[in-house]
Amino acid sequence: MSDKADERRDRLCEVFLDEETIPRGVIDVDHERAVAIFDLVEENAFGVPGRDDGPYTLTISQEESKLTFDVRTGDGEQAVSIIVSMTPLRPLLRDYFMVCETYYSAIRTASPRQIEAIDRERTALHNEGAELMAQRLTEKVTIDQGTARRLFTLVSTLRWKT
């Protein structure tokens, strides 16, 4: 991350998963979660309307079918807490996981043209998930499309079934 990015206040500087409510997964899932968190922290635009006290720390916890996004300032003060129902995301995640499985299988046997077609579908579903994620967070935080995509990636790793 550049020094200029380090100076920005409208960003996340750390992201944590609440280990009490989001249990660790198998090694592959934990690795995907770590990569998603790294990518999100490395490049994001994340602001809290009406506040200018970032950069922020995000802790994600889960209770039943809801995720809680606890956003805090550098000194630990809660900036905002957002509860997001996963119910609207379930059909999209189901389709996304199915296409991902198809993609990973296709890499071994399909032609480049078939792989590209599957990858376009996977990208379209990922974009749809990012848009839905942005809608779920609107009015509480301000994020750009890239941040919404990386948040959707992270949320998808929380729901991935092995």
Side-chain angles (χ1 to χ4, degrees), residues 93 96-97 126 151-161:
L93 284 168
Y96 180 69
F97 294 147
H126 198 276
L151 276 171
F152 177 75
T153 299
L154 178 56
V155 167
S156 73
T157 68
L158 303 179
R159 307 302 288 185
W160 188 263
K161 305 285 188 230

Side-chain angles (χ1 to χ4, degrees), residues 86-141:
M86 291 299 293
T87 303
L89 289 166
R90 281 188 187 146
L92 178 77
L93 284 168
R94 184 181 55 246
D95 293 347
Y96 180 69
F97 294 147
M98 187 171 38
V99 170
C100 286
E101 290 294 328
T102 302
Y103 175 79
Y104 297 132
S105 294
I107 289 174
R108 292 187 281 269
T109 60
S111 72
R113 175 176 251 138
Q114 291 169 316
I115 294 169
E116 288 173 12
I118 295 166
D119 193 42
R120 280 191 300 275
E121 186 176 352
R122 183 176 68 145
T123 299
L125 287 169
H126 198 276
N127 288 340
E128 187 179 335
E131 187 175 314
L132 188 54
M133 181 62 56
Q135 289 171 1
R136 307 295 298 161
L137 299 175
T138 196
E139 297 179 18
K140 298 284 188 167
V141 295

